[in-house]
Amino acid sequence: MSDIIKVGHLYPMQVNPATLSNSARGQQSAETTKFADVLDGAMLKFSHHAELRMAQRGIKLPSEGLTQISQAVDSAAQKGAKDSLIVYRDIAMIVNVPTRTVVTALDGGQLKSNVFTQIDSAIILN
């Protein structure tokens, strides 16, 4: 069975703010803010530093890897973690859990004899 999605069903129709009452304006911005918060909270972000390190070290993450890492961040958040070391295959990442931001990334070569500080949890993924 296929559902037909009509324009405006997923996204609210554009409304002229001048035609809204003050209470409707507040409701619209609150709904938009809530949606943005949910979307922002579900996404895994990469800091500029992490992006540079990944490019320099030739680190590429497959989509299933991003999914597993995102789920690991969810688990860490449920347990109250703040900064986690997440090891996925031969890639290690330091992730700030509350902001869901990868702070830095290392490949297998940098993992050996490295000391990780200022973390409160570690997650090893298969």
Side-chain angles (χ1 to χ4, degrees), residues 58-69:
I59 298 171
K60 295 184 194 272
L61 289 170
S63 61
E64 73 269 1
L66 285 173
T67 301
Q68 285 183 337
I69 293 165

mmCIF file with all atom_site columns, all heavy atoms in Angstrom, residues 58-69:
data_model
loop_
_atom_site.group_PDB
_atom_site.id
_atom_site.type_symbol
_atom_site.label_atom_id
_atom_site.label_alt_id
_atom_site.label_comp_id
_atom_site.label_asym_id
_atom_site.label_entity_id
_atom_site.label_seq_id
_atom_site.pdbx_PDB_ins_code
_atom_site.Cartn_x
_atom_site.Cartn_y
_atom_site.Cartn_z
_atom_site.occupancy
_atom_site.B_iso_or_equiv
_atom_site.pdbx_formal_charge
_atom_site.auth_seq_id
_atom_site.auth_comp_id
_atom_site.auth_asym_id
_atom_site.auth_atom_id
_atom_site.pdbx_PDB_model_num
ATOM 1  N N   . GLY A 1 58 ? 42.539 10.244 6.553  1.00 0.00 ? 58 GLY A N   1
ATOM 2  C CA  . GLY A 1 58 ? 41.832 9.400  5.588  1.00 0.00 ? 58 GLY A CA  1
ATOM 3  C C   . GLY A 1 58 ? 40.741 8.540  6.218  1.00 0.00 ? 58 GLY A C   1
ATOM 4  O O   . GLY A 1 58 ? 40.465 7.445  5.745  1.00 0.00 ? 58 GLY A O   1
ATOM 5  N N   . ILE A 1 59 ? 40.127 9.037  7.268  1.00 0.00 ? 59 ILE A N   1
ATOM 6  C CA  . ILE A 1 59 ? 39.089 8.279  7.965  1.00 0.00 ? 59 ILE A CA  1
ATOM 7  C C   . ILE A 1 59 ? 37.753 8.519  7.276  1.00 0.00 ? 59 ILE A C   1
ATOM 8  O O   . ILE A 1 59 ? 37.324 9.649  7.101  1.00 0.00 ? 59 ILE A O   1
ATOM 9  C CB  . ILE A 1 59 ? 38.996 8.709  9.450  1.00 0.00 ? 59 ILE A CB  1
ATOM 10 C CG1 . ILE A 1 59 ? 40.318 8.422  10.157 1.00 0.00 ? 59 ILE A CG1 1
ATOM 11 C CG2 . ILE A 1 59 ? 37.834 8.014  10.135 1.00 0.00 ? 59 ILE A CG2 1
ATOM 12 C CD1 . ILE A 1 59 ? 40.404 8.999  11.557 1.00 0.00 ? 59 ILE A CD1 1
ATOM 13 N N   . LYS A 1 60 ? 37.121 7.419  6.879  1.00 0.00 ? 60 LYS A N   1
ATOM 14 C CA  . LYS A 1 60 ? 35.795 7.491  6.262  1.00 0.00 ? 60 LYS A CA  1
ATOM 15 C C   . LYS A 1 60 ? 34.873 6.564  7.036  1.00 0.00 ? 60 LYS A C   1
ATOM 16 O O   . LYS A 1 60 ? 35.217 5.432  7.322  1.00 0.00 ? 60 LYS A O   1
ATOM 17 C CB  . LYS A 1 60 ? 35.865 7.072  4.801  1.00 0.00 ? 60 LYS A CB  1
ATOM 18 C CG  . LYS A 1 60 ? 36.701 8.016  3.961  1.00 0.00 ? 60 LYS A CG  1
ATOM 19 C CD  . LYS A 1 60 ? 36.655 7.616  2.508  1.00 0.00 ? 60 LYS A CD  1
ATOM 20 C CE  . LYS A 1 60 ? 37.719 8.302  1.729  1.00 0.00 ? 60 LYS A CE  1
ATOM 21 N NZ  . LYS A 1 60 ? 37.528 9.505  1.167  1.00 0.00 ? 60 LYS A NZ  1
ATOM 22 N N   . LEU A 1 61 ? 33.703 7.081  7.349  1.00 0.00 ? 61 LEU A N   1
ATOM 23 C CA  . LEU A 1 61 ? 32.723 6.282  8.085  1.00 0.00 ? 61 LEU A CA  1
ATOM 24 C C   . LEU A 1 61 ? 31.586 5.878  7.166  1.00 0.00 ? 61 LEU A C   1
ATOM 25 O O   . LEU A 1 61 ? 30.963 6.729  6.537  1.00 0.00 ? 61 LEU A O   1
ATOM 26 C CB  . LEU A 1 61 ? 32.148 7.094  9.247  1.00 0.00 ? 61 LEU A CB  1
ATOM 27 C CG  . LEU A 1 61 ? 33.084 7.350  10.417 1.00 0.00 ? 61 LEU A CG  1
ATOM 28 C CD1 . LEU A 1 61 ? 32.466 8.356  11.370 1.00 0.00 ? 61 LEU A CD1 1
ATOM 29 C CD2 . LEU A 1 61 ? 33.370 6.058  11.141 1.00 0.00 ? 61 LEU A CD2 1
ATOM 30 N N   . PRO A 1 62 ? 31.294 4.578  7.097  1.00 0.00 ? 62 PRO A N   1
ATOM 31 C CA  . PRO A 1 62 ? 30.127 4.155  6.316  1.00 0.00 ? 62 PRO A CA  1
ATOM 32 C C   . PRO A 1 62 ? 28.851 4.558  7.045  1.00 0.00 ? 62 PRO A C   1
ATOM 33 O O   . PRO A 1 62 ? 28.858 4.825  8.247  1.00 0.00 ? 62 PRO A O   1
ATOM 34 C CB  . PRO A 1 62 ? 30.281 2.630  6.263  1.00 0.00 ? 62 PRO A CB  1
ATOM 35 C CG  . PRO A 1 62 ? 31.118 2.283  7.445  1.00 0.00 ? 62 PRO A CG  1
ATOM 36 C CD  . PRO A 1 62 ? 32.011 3.465  7.700  1.00 0.00 ? 62 PRO A CD  1
ATOM 37 N N   . SER A 1 63 ? 27.737 4.588  6.335  1.00 0.00 ? 63 SER A N   1
ATOM 38 C CA  . SER A 1 63 ? 26.473 5.021  6.940  1.00 0.00 ? 63 SER A CA  1
ATOM 39 C C   . SER A 1 63 ? 26.059 4.128  8.111  1.00 0.00 ? 63 SER A C   1
ATOM 40 O O   . SER A 1 63 ? 25.544 4.621  9.107  1.00 0.00 ? 63 SER A O   1
ATOM 41 C CB  . SER A 1 63 ? 25.365 5.088  5.892  1.00 0.00 ? 63 SER A CB  1
ATOM 42 O OG  . SER A 1 63 ? 25.152 3.820  5.332  1.00 0.00 ? 63 SER A OG  1
ATOM 43 N N   . GLU A 1 64 ? 26.311 2.808  8.014  1.00 0.00 ? 64 GLU A N   1
ATOM 44 C CA  . GLU A 1 64 ? 25.951 1.947  9.138  1.00 0.00 ? 64 GLU A CA  1
ATOM 45 C C   . GLU A 1 64 ? 26.835 2.237  10.344 1.00 0.00 ? 64 GLU A C   1
ATOM 46 O O   . GLU A 1 64 ? 26.418 2.089  11.485 1.00 0.00 ? 64 GLU A O   1
ATOM 47 C CB  . GLU A 1 64 ? 25.992 0.458  8.768  1.00 0.00 ? 64 GLU A CB  1
ATOM 48 C CG  . GLU A 1 64 ? 27.381 -0.122 8.613  1.00 0.00 ? 64 GLU A CG  1
ATOM 49 C CD  . GLU A 1 64 ? 27.932 -0.056 7.192  1.00 0.00 ? 64 GLU A CD  1
ATOM 50 O OE1 . GLU A 1 64 ? 27.249 0.458  6.303  1.00 0.00 ? 64 GLU A OE1 1
ATOM 51 O OE2 . GLU A 1 64 ? 29.057 -0.536 6.985  1.00 0.00 ? 64 GLU A OE2 1
ATOM 52 N N   . GLY A 1 65 ? 28.059 2.695  10.102 1.00 0.00 ? 65 GLY A N   1
ATOM 53 C CA  . GLY A 1 65 ? 28.936 3.091  11.196 1.00 0.00 ? 65 GLY A CA  1
ATOM 54 C C   . GLY A 1 65 ? 28.408 4.325  11.907 1.00 0.00 ? 65 GLY A C   1
ATOM 55 O O   . GLY A 1 65 ? 28.410 4.396  13.140 1.00 0.00 ? 65 GLY A O   1
ATOM 56 N N   . LEU A 1 66 ? 27.931 5.291  11.137 1.00 0.00 ? 66 LEU A N   1
ATOM 57 C CA  . LEU A 1 66 ? 27.349 6.493  11.739 1.00 0.00 ? 66 LEU A CA  1
ATOM 58 C C   . LEU A 1 66 ? 26.123 6.141  12.567 1.00 0.00 ? 66 LEU A C   1
ATOM 59 O O   . LEU A 1 66 ? 25.913 6.697  13.647 1.00 0.00 ? 66 LEU A O   1
ATOM 60 C CB  . LEU A 1 66 ? 26.980 7.506  10.656 1.00 0.00 ? 66 LEU A CB  1
ATOM 61 C CG  . LEU A 1 66 ? 28.141 8.260  10.030 1.00 0.00 ? 66 LEU A CG  1
ATOM 62 C CD1 . LEU A 1 66 ? 27.652 9.108  8.863  1.00 0.00 ? 66 LEU A CD1 1
ATOM 63 C CD2 . LEU A 1 66 ? 28.836 9.135  11.054 1.00 0.00 ? 66 LEU A CD2 1
ATOM 64 N N   . THR A 1 67 ? 25.336 5.190  12.083 1.00 0.00 ? 67 THR A N   1
ATOM 65 C CA  . THR A 1 67 ? 24.149 4.753  12.823 1.00 0.00 ? 67 THR A CA  1
ATOM 66 C C   . THR A 1 67 ? 24.552 4.109  14.142 1.00 0.00 ? 67 THR A C   1
ATOM 67 O O   . THR A 1 67 ? 23.981 4.413  15.193 1.00 0.00 ? 67 THR A O   1
ATOM 68 C CB  . THR A 1 67 ? 23.319 3.768  11.981 1.00 0.00 ? 67 THR A CB  1
ATOM 69 O OG1 . THR A 1 67 ? 22.940 4.412  10.768 1.00 0.00 ? 67 THR A OG1 1
ATOM 70 C CG2 . THR A 1 67 ? 22.073 3.309  12.721 1.00 0.00 ? 67 THR A CG2 1
ATOM 71 N N   . GLN A 1 68 ? 25.542 3.227  14.113 1.00 0.00 ? 68 GLN A N   1
ATOM 72 C CA  . GLN A 1 68 ? 25.997 2.561  15.332 1.00 0.00 ? 68 GLN A CA  1
ATOM 73 C C   . GLN A 1 68 ? 26.582 3.565  16.320 1.00 0.00 ? 68 GLN A C   1
ATOM 74 O O   . GLN A 1 68 ? 26.342 3.480  17.527 1.00 0.00 ? 68 GLN A O   1
ATOM 75 C CB  . GLN A 1 68 ? 27.043 1.494  15.012 1.00 0.00 ? 68 GLN A CB  1
ATOM 76 C CG  . GLN A 1 68 ? 26.467 0.246  14.408 1.00 0.00 ? 68 GLN A CG  1
ATOM 77 C CD  . GLN A 1 68 ? 27.535 -0.807 14.166 1.00 0.00 ? 68 GLN A CD  1
ATOM 78 O OE1 . GLN A 1 68 ? 28.724 -0.506 14.051 1.00 0.00 ? 68 GLN A OE1 1
ATOM 79 N NE2 . GLN A 1 68 ? 27.112 -2.058 14.094 1.00 0.00 ? 68 GLN A NE2 1
ATOM 80 N N   . ILE A 1 69 ? 27.343 4.517  15.819 1.00 0.00 ? 69 ILE A N   1
ATOM 81 C CA  . ILE A 1 69 ? 27.947 5.529  16.691 1.00 0.00 ? 69 ILE A CA  1
ATOM 82 C C   . ILE A 1 69 ? 26.860 6.398  17.312 1.00 0.00 ? 69 ILE A C   1
ATOM 83 O O   . ILE A 1 69 ? 26.899 6.708  18.505 1.00 0.00 ? 69 ILE A O   1
ATOM 84 C CB  . ILE A 1 69 ? 28.985 6.361  15.914 1.00 0.00 ? 69 ILE A CB  1
ATOM 85 C CG1 . ILE A 1 69 ? 30.159 5.467  15.534 1.00 0.00 ? 69 ILE A CG1 1
ATOM 86 C CG2 . ILE A 1 69 ? 29.440 7.569  16.724 1.00 0.00 ? 69 ILE A CG2 1
ATOM 87 C CD1 . ILE A 1 69 ? 31.062 6.052  14.470 1.00 0.00 ? 69 ILE A CD1 1
#
